[in-house]
């Protein structure tokens, strides 16, 4: 499913330091902490991935359709930032839909390198791309894109273009986003290009609605992590005793998602008991928003030079081109 790629992000350095790679250890660390937290990467089991796909179609959830519009409207201009015989390296390929827009507009792209931790999903997407675009080399890399990985030897001599759409970068803490871009630069090498989709700071009401939709799909998406803990870790969360909360934190420029306990209760999961006060929350996600300038400053701090930015008519979303 499209969302698998997102599951490798470190959502906070502090949180990650406390938690190991296993879901059980993560839950024990996060629910044992005060305030309680869980990494947003655990949203994306198969139900969560399907719910995320439904989110992208909601009237209130503007990011996906806005970015697709920006890509389609500016694909030729984006193509002009891409060198001859380049390799397009996509970090955390969810669906290849966005990359296809670039590839269709940039016939000089000679190779496509989707990087994802889900080998099965990757093989599926690679096969579809080979079928539809037979003239480019499709070279999938089964790796965690937030860590160091090796590019396929076949593209050693090619200029590289990184592609990181979807505002997935917003799930990183800002200092981790800088570190990620620096790391991407190390992997792609000097002279390379990076195209990054970033959600923008905007009217609070628009942001709040996008993460608390009228149909309640985002609420289901958030609450699904409780269901997942019940199923995978023998939990006894009563989903009716928690509610979805999402709000824009103006000072920190981020949407926060929480699960709020509607009563005082003790829950068992992963072989432990966790007490909740009435009104206490589990912090389940941060989704950082940037101005064009604040993202360019972040990119510059990571060693990249902003060369172009494309936006929509409402200034909701930005696609940045960076050069190293
Ligand atoms: C996949 C991280 C880009 O932050 O907008 C959507 C995830 N969470 N609704 C976002 C999400 C709630 C999404 N990203």
């Amino acid at each position: 499913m499209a969302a698998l790629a997102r599951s490798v992000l470190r959502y906070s350095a502090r949180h990650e330091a406390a938690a190991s790679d296993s879901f059980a250890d993560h839950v024990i660390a996060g629910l044992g902490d005060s305030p309680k937290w869980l990494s947003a990467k655990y949203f994306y089991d198969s139900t969560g991935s399907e719910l995320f796909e439904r989110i992208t179609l909601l009237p209130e959830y503007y990011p996906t359709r806005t970015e697709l519009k920006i890509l389609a409207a500016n694909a030729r201009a984006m193509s002009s930032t891409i060198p001859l015989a380049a390799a397009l390296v996509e970090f955390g390929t969810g669906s290849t839909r966005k990359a296809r827009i670039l590839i269709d507009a940039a016939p000089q792209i000679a190779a496509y390198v989707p990087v994802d931790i889900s080998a099965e999903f990757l093989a599926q997407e690679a096969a579809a791309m080979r079928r539809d675009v037979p003239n480019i080399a499709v070279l999938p890399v089964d790796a965690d894109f937030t860590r160091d990985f090796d590019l396929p030897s076949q593209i050693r001599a090619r200029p590289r273009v990184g592609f990181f759409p979807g505002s997935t970068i917003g799930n990183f803490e800002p200092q981790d986003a800088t570190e990620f871009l620096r790391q991407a630069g190390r992997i792609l090498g000097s002279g390379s290009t990076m195209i990054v989709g970033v959600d923008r700071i905007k009217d609070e009401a628009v942001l709040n609605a996008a993460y608390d939709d009228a149909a309640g799909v985002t609420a289901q998406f958030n609450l699904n992590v409780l269901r997942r803990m019940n199923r995978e870790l023998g939990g006894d969360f009563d989903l009716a005793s928690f509610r979805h909360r999402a709000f824009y934190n103006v000072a920190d420029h981020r949407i926060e998602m929480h699960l709020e306990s509607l009563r005082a209760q003790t829950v068992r999961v992963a072989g432990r008991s966790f007490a909740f006060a009435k009104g206490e929350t589990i912090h389940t996600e941060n989704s950082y928003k940037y101005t064009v300038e604040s993202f360019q400053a972040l990119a510059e701090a990571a060693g990249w030079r902003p060369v172009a930015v494309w936006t929509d008519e409402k200034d909701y979303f930005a696609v940045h081109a960076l050069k190293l």
Side-chain angles (χ1 to χ4, degrees):
M1 256 359 263
L4 288 169
R6 280 174 286 278
S7 69
V8 297
L9 294 183
R10 297 181 306 138
Y11 289 84
S12 147
R14 176 177 70 87
H15 293 172
E16 214 57 31
S20 88
D21 283 345
S22 98
F23 187 27
D25 289 346
H26 184 92
V27 165
I28 290 166
L31 299 189
D33 205 353
S34 180
K36 294 177 168 62
W37 53 267
L38 289 173
S39 166
K41 71 181 176 183
Y42 293 110
F43 284 143
Y44 301 98
D45 63 358
S46 63
T47 305
S49 297
E50 276 163 33
L51 286 166
F52 179 71
E53 287 311 305
R54 285 178 56 195
I55 287 173
T56 66
L57 302 173
L58 291 167
E60 297 96 331
Y61 193 77
Y62 60 83
T64 309
R65 77 175 62 88
T66 306
E67 184 179 41
L68 284 168
K69 260 176 80 176
I70 294 170
L71 291 172
N74 301 283
R76 288 178 66 94
M78 289 176 196
S79 164
S80 73
T81 70
I82 299 177
L84 207 65
L88 184 71
V89 179
E90 184 168 15
F91 294 89
T93 303
S95 102
T96 47
R97 187 167 169 207
K98 292 167 186 171
R100 278 296 298 276
I101 297 174
L102 276 185
I103 289 168
D104 289 346
Q108 73 272 32
I109 294 175
Y112 173 55
V113 182
V115 182
D116 200 287
I117 40 156
S118 170
E120 196 188 330
F121 176 75
L122 204 54
Q124 223 170 281
E125 289 291 315
M129 186 68 94
R130 285 192 190 104
R131 182 168 4 87
D132 299 345
V133 196
N135 54 323
I136 71 169
V138 180
L139 306 163
V141 173
D142 175 16
D144 176 345
F145 72 84
T146 66
R147 311 232 164 110
D148 207 7
F149 63 87
D150 291 322
L151 290 173
S153 56
Q154 294 96 311
I155 68 160
R156 198 170 290 144
R158 298 194 179 284
R160 292 84 184 257
V161 180
F163 187 42
F164 195 38
S167 202
T168 307
I169 200 159
N171 270 152
F172 288 103
E173 294 299 304
Q175 61 275 36
D176 289 343
T178 309
E179 192 41 52
F180 164 76
L181 287 178
R182 198 189 308 283
Q183 167 83 2
R186 274 198 293 269
I187 291 168
L188 294 171
S190 70
S192 53
T193 309
M194 185 93 182
I195 296 174
V196 191
V198 184
D199 197 16
R200 293 170 72 174
I201 293 172
K202 61 183 62 63
D203 179 42
E204 235 180 297
V206 174
L207 285 165
N208 285 329
Y211 292 83
D212 194 9
D213 58 288
V217 181
T218 309
Q220 283 185 58
F221 174 74
N222 197 2
L223 287 158
N224 178 61
V225 76
L226 302 180
R227 193 178 286 125
R228 181 175 185 182
M229 286 190 281
N230 286 349
R231 194 183 57 245
E232 294 183 22
L233 303 175
D236 63 358
F237 282 96
D238 169 22
L239 268 65
S241 295
F242 287 85
R243 74 167 178 124
H244 166 66
R245 287 200 54 208
F247 55 86
Y248 186 60
N249 175 333
V250 181
D252 292 329
H253 317 293
R254 68 190 190 200
I255 285 282
E256 294 185 15
M257 296 218 309
H258 295 258
L259 289 163
E260 180 186 337
S261 177
L262 295 173
R263 53 184 176 86
Q265 56 183 320
T266 299
V267 176
R268 281 198 65 83
V269 62
R272 312 274 172 111
S273 293
F274 300 98
F276 288 81
K278 183 180 178 186
E280 187 177 356
T281 75
I282 308 171
H283 187 175
T284 50
E285 183 171 42
N286 285 326
S287 183
Y288 281 88
K289 310 303 172 189
Y290 293 90
T291 63
V292 164
E293 295 73 23
S294 68
F295 184 76
Q296 288 180 333
L298 187 146
E300 282 178 320
W304 292 87
R305 181 166 46 88
V307 291
V309 58
W310 298 279
T311 66
D312 56 291
E313 70 284 354
K314 288 180 172 163
D315 289 340
Y316 278 3
F317 201 92
V319 177
H320 292 262
L322 313 170
K323 291 271 184 193
L324 199 61

